[in-house]
C-alpha cells in the first residue's frame, strides 16, 4: 500500500509539473510579445523625437530669417 501511495503521489507531482511547464511557456511567450511591442514603441518614439528635433531646428531657422 505504501508503494502504491508513493506512485500516485509521483504521478500527481508529474501532472502538476507538466501543467506548470505549460503555464511557464504561455507566460514566456506573452512576455516576449510584450517586450517586442515595447521595443517597437521605443523605436517609434525615437523616430518621432528626431522628427520633432528637425522640425524645431527648421522653425528656428525660419524665425531667424524673418527677424
Amino acid at each position: 500500500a505504501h508503494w502504491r501511495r508513493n506512485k500516485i503521489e509521483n504521478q500527481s507531482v508529474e501532472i502538476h509539473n507538466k501543467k506548470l511547464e505549460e503555464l511557464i511557456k504561455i507566460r514566456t511567450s506573452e512576455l516576449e510579445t510584450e517586450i517586442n511591442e515595447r521595443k517597437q514603441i521605443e523605436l517609434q518614439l525615437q523616430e518621432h523625437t528626431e522628427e520633432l528635433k528637425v522640425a524645431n531646428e527648421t522653425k528656428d531657422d525660419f524665425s531667424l530669417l524673418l527677424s
Side-chain angles (χ1 to χ4, degrees):
H2 181 68
W3 64 271
R4 189 172 219 197
R5 192 179 77 208
N6 283 343
K7 184 176 180 181
I8 292 171
E9 288 174 358
N10 286 341
Q11 288 173 341
S12 178
V13 168
E14 286 178 21
I15 290 169
H16 288 301
N17 279 342
K18 287 180 183 179
K19 287 180 182 178
L20 284 173
E21 287 174 3
E22 186 60 31
L23 289 172
I24 289 169
K25 285 179 186 178
I26 291 168
R27 186 62 182 139
T28 299
S29 177
E30 291 171 351
L31 289 171
E32 288 171 345
T33 299
E34 185 178 334
I35 288 168
N36 289 331
E37 289 172 352
R38 288 176 182 242
K39 285 180 180 180
Q40 284 295 106
I41 291 169
E42 185 178 354
L43 286 174
Q44 290 173 352
L45 285 172
Q46 289 173 350
E47 290 172 5
H48 290 295
T49 299
E50 187 60 32
E51 290 171 3
L52 287 173
K53 183 179 173 185
V54 170
N56 270 336
E57 290 171 356
T58 303
K59 178 192 65 127
D60 291 344
D61 291 346
F62 183 73
S63 294
L64 283 175
L65 287 174
L66 291 180
S67 54

